[in-house]
Amino acid sequence: MAKHSAFTENPGIIIRLEMSTTQTIGGVTKINGMMKAKYIIQIIDDLDLQANPRDSKTGAVTSAIIDSAQSDPQLFPFKTKGILLAASDYQWLDRDRIRMFFVDRSIEGILDGGHNTLAIGLLILNRALEFKGEKPLRKNLTWGEFKKLWEEKREMIGEYCESIRKNDDGSPNTENTTGSDLSFYIPVEVIVPKDPEDKMCVADFRSDLLEICEARNNNAELNASAKANQKGYFDELYKQFQQYEPGLAKRIEWKTNDGGDIKVQDIIALVWLALRQLPEVKDAEGKTVVPPAPVKLYSSKASSLKQFERFMSSPEVTVGEHGDYKSALRNNDVLKAFKLAVQIPALADYIYANFPNMYNAAGGSYGKITAVKKLNESRRNKHTPYGDESVAVASPDGFITPLVFGLTELVDPDTMEWRQDPQRFLEKNLQAIVNDYAQVLSALGWDPQKVGKSPMSYTTVERDYKMALAGMLE
């Protein structure tokens, strides 16, 4: 049974999950169950859709959900995916109840099921209006418009809920009528960290939430790179690559299936090393765009691309061009970030090419690491990832990525220029950084996936880059 961790002080929300099952894999626990519709009221009261990549709006989808819930409430939970909730802290209570604490609501809350939440909420709101003799809502509403009406009519909703708990004579209503009240079930899935008191477990859990959310909201629509390219979000970056490294610019797959051998999402993941030093912006829908977690540079470059699309959609970053669907860059600091970003692939190649020898100089035996041995046995052509230069030893991405991420510390957020010449910095300090970083590989069993996905890898490298900048790393 999970205990409410000491570092969370908000009161959370309580739902009751009946017929629940619990599964734990790695550091994530999933709880599946059935929740009576009345519990969605507190969810709507306390949560918005910040953690969901899309805001919901009423239409054919919500109408179908409402019709299904009203016409066949007993079959309804088998017709819908329900709602996916995520919280980084939680507590089991008695009577199958669970209290959830949404610590960071930009990534925790309703991850999927926004249309279900809106539809059931609208059903409740309309029943409350009819209970008070008012006409039900017929017009289409965005989530924001619905939430405003919900708050305005909240007292009325409370009176309606109280009425369905009692018979006409005032006695408690113990019958499960399901159709006219709010006792019909909604499938609910809750994902939480395995141990909310383990800060490392919670940190890993939070870093995975965006990827989970994106996967659940993937509707096989136009992929992120195609959409970003169509909207012109790559245009200025392409120009900068053309000026700085035209050969590399030609090899990047800016448009889906255009023949480039370097995925644009791999480049965008590197671009975030500069962009993350900029002040946060709000996307086209008014939601704050948070830079991808460091581990996403390794574990989910696709999520970095989707965050880039949201970042570029911000009116603080781009502006539409004369009725065209394409947008043009308007933010000079972002342009400065792009000018730095086009230099990063060559720096990443330098790290890749020199890491094996530097690891050996730190006292290790790089060629004896199982993952390194297997990779080199299976790969004939060994070359750097971006410059395509030949190397003697190929390296697993998980070992290299944290070292590349450290380059973000060389970006001065005040000027959006390098604090020091990055190439000279690496030539002078990379060996000392590797000397310390080698201990991380040992601690994680020389497993490149564990190294690439562990926050410890990135925090260690960040610290070492900072110490090197201060002249304190030997």
Side-chain angles (χ1 to χ4, degrees), residues 407-426:
L407 293 168
T408 191
E409 294 300 326
L410 302 185
V411 179
D412 186 336
D414 295 327
T415 63
M416 289 309 294
E417 296 177 355
W418 296 115
R419 298 179 191 272
Q420 295 183 16
D421 180 281
Q423 182 63 38
R424 293 179 183 175
F425 174 89
L426 291 176

Side-chain angles (χ1 to χ4, degrees), residues 298-328:
Y298 170 73
S299 65
S300 183
K301 293 177 180 177
S303 67
S304 297
L305 178 56
K306 291 183 179 180
Q307 287 296 86
F308 178 80
E309 182 189 7
R310 290 183 57 214
F311 177 88
M312 294 297 290
S313 76
S314 170
E316 302 170 54
V317 178
T318 57
V319 61
E321 291 187 325
H322 306 295
D324 194 358
Y325 62 84
K326 280 186 173 285
S327 298

